[in-house]
Structure formats: structure tokens, C-alpha cells
Amino acid sequence: MNIKNDKPLHVNPDIVFREEEEGAFLFHPETGELKCLNSMGRIIWSMCDGQISADLLEEKISNKYPSVPRDEIHNDLITFLEELFAIGYIGHSTAVVPPA
Amino acid sequence: MGIKSLPQLRSLYFYVSGQCNLNCRHCWQHKRIDEDSMVPDGNNAEIPPADLFRVIKEAKELGLYSIKFTGGEPFMNPLFIDYLNIAKNEGLRVVIETNGTLLEESHIPRLKALNLREIAISLDGANQETHDNFRQKKGAYLQTLAALKLLAKYKLPVQLIMCIHRKNKDELGDLLLLAEQYKVNSVKINPIQPMGRGQELAEKGECLPLSELLELSKYCRENLSKSFSGNLFFGLPISFRPFEEIRDRTFSVCQIFSILGLLSGGELSFCGIGHNNRELIFGNIYEDSLPDVWKGAPLLNELRQCLPKGLKGVCGRCLLKSTCLGECRAEAYERTGDLLAPHWICQEALDSNLFPTTRLLPAADKLKE
């Protein structure tokens, strides 16, 4: 199953999220798996509040970093989200998303 | 808990000799070395090269890639060069841990022929008095420097290992200058483990307190490493490393699932811990087939099942437990008789409020509240 870009995203509440100055850790308490997020990953994770979609995330990030090409943001974001989606760290919620 | 797949046996830690020509004040294997040193010369049970060859062949079937020759002092064993030849012929990546005092120019061609990752040499100070006092052997410092000079001359890769304590901490900068002079590739600073004689040093207050170790580690990272052309490592658990080092995995941890200790008498254990604690010996190369031991030794399988989930104390609550696996399990066992006990530095840090809070899960009792 792939990310649906217009569906809201939420983080798996079982995953432990710990912010550090240079990034953040994601820790799976059952498997013990540890992932390291860079600063951008940390921001994206924090924004996945169950209300925001991939499209809206892309919009917000593009507004924040206007010098970065939109295609680059889109590709990096989708790759990142797909990876987390595939392992169950994020999922789709049923909330209604405002248009991007 | 499900059965984990059998890990590959990647590295053999071969404790080549039970004897040593030094008498180091922090040695954690001194009991065995003292016992073996009582045996008259020539009566020690060195592993015949043919048996090492057989063991390596068996281990290669299980994935063996590298061998670490350590001791005691490897050069005390007259068969050491024969062992090196076997490692060379079998194409193994080689690490040698030695005090360097017995290294001679005649050894160099054999060393040059190896697929050598590094020769790790102990040097505990930047002057003769400090090193010789710690190693309790007059002249050891000059012999070690002679070895470093030889290794530099022949461009062999060297790592210097310095055990840091109260009486040598101020020599760290000068030791790095020496390291530059002898063109060593890396320097590793190790806190003294409270094991064997190291426990006595700790009780005498000669070891550095954790707060000082943390400060020194930071000073190395932020200052000394910038002026040193090689790599500078500080041997603290990874829970104290900066985020970038963890993210980029620029650290090394004990690969306990993929190593096997071969003791000088042919016994098999996790590492040299079997020397001190005979109950941790789970095989013998003269009686058991290596694959049978690797696959079936109950102690090995128990550890595979219990690490990292069964780690206790702070290690059980650490976000990094799957990465570091509690660091040195030998030290945990030596100190507590429990392979799953917390690492002493991390536990001490937690108890002193020095453990990084972002890397700690709530205690189990807190989770229930």
C-alpha cells in the first residue's frame, strides 16, 4: 500500500519520538529498532498530527524553503513518508483534510 | 520470544598466549596470566598450528572474515608467527593486540604479508616513568617506542590504545604528539574497566570519575581530534556520543553476536571472559566441532535470545540498546555474575543524573502509572 497524497497522516503512537539538537530518534519499543531523523525529518514527523496530508506537507515545506526546487521537495518527502508508511511508523487517519 | 536466525561467525578473538611479560596495573586477566606464568617455560599448552588451521576452516564455513590475535602477550607464544601465516593463507583480515615490547625487525616481513587492519599497541603515557609505572616493567616504554618506530618505518597500520587514569590524563596531548611522530592511524582512549586489577585501581581512587571522563571525551572530540591527523576515539558507550555519530554510525561496538573467543588452551567462550570465569566456557576445539558449538551451545543461544530485550537497569531503558547491546557484556558478568546486567558507566551516569535523558525510556513502573 502506498501513501495517498491527499489523505491525512498520523504517527504511530507506539513509536517513541525523541528530539535532539541535530535531529531526532524514532524508537520502536517492541522491536528495539532505532531510526535517526535529520532536522527536516524531525520537522515532518512533528507535523504529522492526523490532520495534514502529504500534499499539504509539501506545500508548507515549499513555503518555508522557497529556494529548494518543488520537485526535489516532493521526491524527498514522498520517499521519506513511504519508508515510514511501509514499516507502520505513520498511517492514514480518517480526519478531513483542508485543501492544499 | 521468537527464534532468531543464526548469526554469522565473523570474527575469531584468539587469546594466543596465557602469558605476559608485563604486569599491568589494570589487567583484567591477571589471574589466568599469573597462573600460566607459574608454568615452566615450554610446558604451556599452545594450540598446534594444525588445530588452528582446522578451526579456521570450520569457522570460514560459518562466515569467518577476521581474526584478532590478543593475549596475554601474543609474541610470548613461539608459535605466533605460524598462526599469522595461517591467517595470511586463509585470507583473513587481521588485528593484533600487543604491548609491542617483543616486536623485532625480523617479524616485519610476516606482518607486511598479512591482510592487516591494524596492530593495536598499548601506550599509557607520554613519558617513561608514567608508562613503566603503570605497566610495572622498567624499560617497557622505550621498547614500545622502538616498536612504534619500526612499524612507522614499514608503514604498518597502528592504533595506539591509552588507558586513561588520574596519573596520565595530563599527558594526553603529548601522547597525541607522539602518535603523530610515529604516524599512527588512530588513538583510542579507554576508561579503566573495574575488572580484575582495574577494580583495585578504582577502589584506590586512581580511575577518573564519570563526570571527568565525560568532560575529557568532549575535549577530545571538540579540540584534540581537530589537531590530530589520525582518528581519535574515546571509549565511552554510544549513549554518550553526539547524534551525528549515531546517525552516521561512526562508532564501533562489541559485535558479540558474531564473535567467538578462542582461549590459549583451546577453550571456546564469548571472549577472554572465559579465562576469568570458567563457567562461561562452552566448548573446546579438541573435543567439539566448531559449527556444533556455534549453533548449539546453550550459553550462546541464551544470549542471542536475551539480548537486547533482557538487558537490565539503564540498558533496558535505553533507546540505543539494540545498537550497542549493552556494550561490554564481559565486564557486566565479571562485576555482577549476570550477562544482562547494565553497563557500569551508563548505570553510574543514570544514578548521577548524567545519562542523556532524550535517550532514556521511562522506567517500567512509571509506564504503568
Side-chain angles (χ1 to χ4, degrees), chain B residues 307-359:
Chain B
L307 273 184
K309 273 210 158 183
L311 283 168
K312 297 173 183 171
V314 64
C315 294
R317 295 176 53 195
C318 180
L319 260 59
L320 299 161
K321 61 184 171 185
S322 293
T323 309
C324 99
L325 300 173
E327 194 89 350
C328 182
R329 294 295 83 207
E331 180 280 325
Y333 189 87
E334 180 79 6
R335 193 170 41 82
T336 66
D338 184 353
L339 282 167
L340 299 172
H343 190 277
W344 68 281
I345 289 181
C346 294
Q347 191 62 47
E348 194 178 318
L350 180 71
D351 296 342
S352 329
N353 292 321
L354 291 171
F355 196 88
T357 52
T358 54
R359 296 167 184 190

Side-chain angles (χ1 to χ4, degrees), chain B residues 20-37:
Chain B
C20 188
N21 58 331
L22 303 186
N23 192 22
C24 306
R25 297 189 64 217
H26 70 308
C27 183
W28 67 286
Q29 299 195 55
H30 70 101
K31 280 185 194 165
R32 169 64 182 262
I33 288 170
D34 291 346
E35 284 168 16
D36 278 16
S37 298

